[in-house]
Amino acid sequence: DLVRSSWASLGGKGGGKPDIAQGGGGNPEMVPAVFAKLRGLVADLAAR
């Protein structure tokens, strides 16, 4: 879910098994934004 949600910011896709997820495609210039989104998603999960 983390990979799928964050990689969508690149215009790419994520998927795979929960323990071996992968993402691909998209615009590499957006990588900093993806990491920022990923940090937010992890913080939200940690707060649960």
Side-chain angles (χ1 to χ4, degrees):
D1 290 340
L2 289 173
V3 172
R4 185 178 302 113
S5 297
S6 60
W7 222 256
S9 299
L10 285 174
K13 294 183 179 178
K17 296 180 180 181
D19 60 339
I20 310 175
Q22 298 180 28
N27 180 355
E29 294 175 3
M30 296 297 295
V31 169
V34 169
F35 280 114
K37 181 172 180 86
L38 187 54
R39 281 191 295 273
L41 291 169
V42 170
D44 289 345
L45 288 173
R48 290 184 187 178

